[in-house]
Amino acid sequence: MTPTQKRIVVVTGIAEVALTAWCLRDLKQRPAELVRGPKLLWGPALSVQPVGPIAYLVWGRRR
């Protein structure tokens, strides 16, 4: 890999970890009535990268 490709991979990895951590924190602090679906299922779903955290932000949280 070129140095640019390596940087892209590292930055993308950091972004995925940060997004997942933010979603896990939000899921833990958010009351169950403000989450669509069971909270116990959203936890493992967040480990499916990058779809899980994005799905949680788009469909899992009630406003």
Side-chain angles (χ1 to χ4, degrees), residues 15-42:
E16 283 187 8
V17 169
L19 180 62
T20 302
W22 180 51
C23 288
L24 283 169
R25 181 173 172 233
D26 181 78
L27 180 63
K28 183 178 178 182
Q29 293 179 348
R30 188 174 290 269
E33 56 270 2
L34 294 179
V35 176
R36 290 188 178 102
K39 288 176 76 169
L40 286 174
L41 293 180
W42 276 112

Side-chain angles (χ1 to χ4, degrees), residues 34-60:
L34 294 179
V35 176
R36 290 188 178 102
K39 288 176 76 169
L40 286 174
L41 293 180
W42 276 112
L46 292 176
S47 68
V48 179
Q49 296 297 328
V51 177
I54 294 169
Y56 173 72
L57 292 175
V58 173
W59 295 295

